[in-house]
Amino acid sequence: FHLPLDASWLALGQEPITATRIGNTVFTSGVPGIDLKTGKLAEGPEAQFALAFENLVTLLAKAGAGPESIGLLTVFIPDRNNRAYINKGWLKLFPGPDKPARKTNQAPLPKGMEVQLMAACVVGEKRVPFEIPGLSHKDPLPMGAKLGPYVFSSVISPEDPANGKAVSGPLPQIDRCFDNMRLFMQAAGGSDGGNARGALWRALRPSQPGGLCAAGRLAAAVRQPARLGGLRSHLGQAPRCAGAARTRQRRPRRRHC
C-alpha cells in the first residue's frame, strides 16, 4: 500500500511512502507532511505536522487500519525544537485517554522536511494503554499500550518510581532502566519467568544512556533482560533478548529525545 510521491523526493532521500500488512499487523515507512496533490511540502513545521498526521491516516486506511489500531507512533524530527509541534496533531488524533505509545527520534531528514511519522499497528484488537506506577511522561502519552498479545512502550527512562527522579550516574541509570522495563513488562501482563518473542531493546538518549523502549509479542510470561545487555548498549554494542532478532538502523546517527 502506498501514497503517491514525486520521483524528485526519492533523489533527496525520502523513501516511498508505504504501509506493509502482515496478518493483522501493519507497519509504515516515514510519512512526511507533503501535499499529495501538488507533491510539495507544506509551508512551515506546523503545517507539515498537520499534513503528516492526515497523510498517515490516509495511508493506514489503504491498509485496512486506522488510528485506533496504532500501537506505537514514532516521530522523526531534524531538530529538537520541533517537539513543540507534535502534541497538536497528536491530541487531535487521540483526544481521549486511549492513546498509543510514542517516541521521538532526532534524525537527518531531506532538506526542508520538518517531520516524518511512522506507525506500528495491530488491526482488530482493542488498544489498552497502561502506566508504570510512580513513572510518567511530561507529554500526554502513556508508558505503553497493549493490543491483543502485542505490547509497545514509549521511552522508559531511569527515574526511580519511589520519587520520580532520575538516578545519578550512567551505570545506575542503565540498571534503573532495566528495572523499570521489568515493571513495564509486568504491567503488560508478563512476569520474570517466561520468554519475550520479537522484543526490540535499544539504548536511547545520549544524556540518559539507560533509556529503553520495546515492542514485542507477549508469551505466557516475559523474562527480564539481563543487565549485561544494558552495559553492552552503554559501551556501544547492541543488546539482545531471548528470541529477539537483530535489526538494522533505518538511518545513521539518530538521536532520541
Side-chain angles (χ1 to χ4, degrees), residues 1-5 16-20 29 36 55 58-60 62-63:
F1 309 94
H2 69 276
L3 295 181
L5 181 68
I17 308 173
T18 62
T20 299
S29 62
L36 300 180
N55 290 344
T58 300
L59 178 61
L60 290 180
K62 288 178 174 287

Side-chain angles (χ1 to χ4, degrees), residues 49 53 72-87 90 101-107 109 114-118 137 139-141 153-157 202-206 212-213 254-257:
F49 271 79
F53 276 101
L72 172 65
L73 182 72
T74 303
V75 183
F76 296 95
I77 54 177
D79 189 283
R80 189 175 179 84
N81 292 329
N82 282 17
R83 287 183 62 91
Y85 302 102
I86 298 175
N87 283 338
W90 170 259
R102 190 185 90 190
K103 64 187 182 77
T104 302
N105 296 350
Q106 189 173 329
L109 301 181
E114 302 288 351
V115 63
Q116 289 182 357
L117 303 176
M118 180 185 294
H137 281 279
D139 284 336
L141 61 140
S153 84
S154 301
V155 173
I156 297 176
S157 297
R202 298 165 58 188
L204 307 180
R205 296 187 182 182
L212 299 170
C213 67
R254 284 183 183 166
R255 293 173 58 192
H256 302 263
C257 49

Side-chain angles (χ1 to χ4, degrees), residues 101-103 130-132 135-137 141-145 151-161 173-188 200-205 208-215 256-257:
R102 190 185 90 190
K103 64 187 182 77
F130 60 91
E131 305 291 347
I132 301 174
L135 300 178
S136 64
H137 281 279
L141 61 140
M143 294 302 296
V151 61
F152 305 88
S153 84
S154 301
V155 173
I156 297 176
S157 297
E159 282 80 20
D160 186 339
Q173 285 190 2
I174 292 172
D175 281 348
R176 182 68 259 173
C177 277
F178 278 99
D179 286 339
N180 288 346
M181 182 61 76
R182 174 177 54 83
L183 296 175
F184 171 84
M185 297 307 255
Q186 289 176 346
L200 306 179
W201 308 79
R202 298 165 58 188
L204 307 180
R205 296 187 182 182
Q208 295 183 346
L212 299 170
C213 67
H256 302 263
C257 49

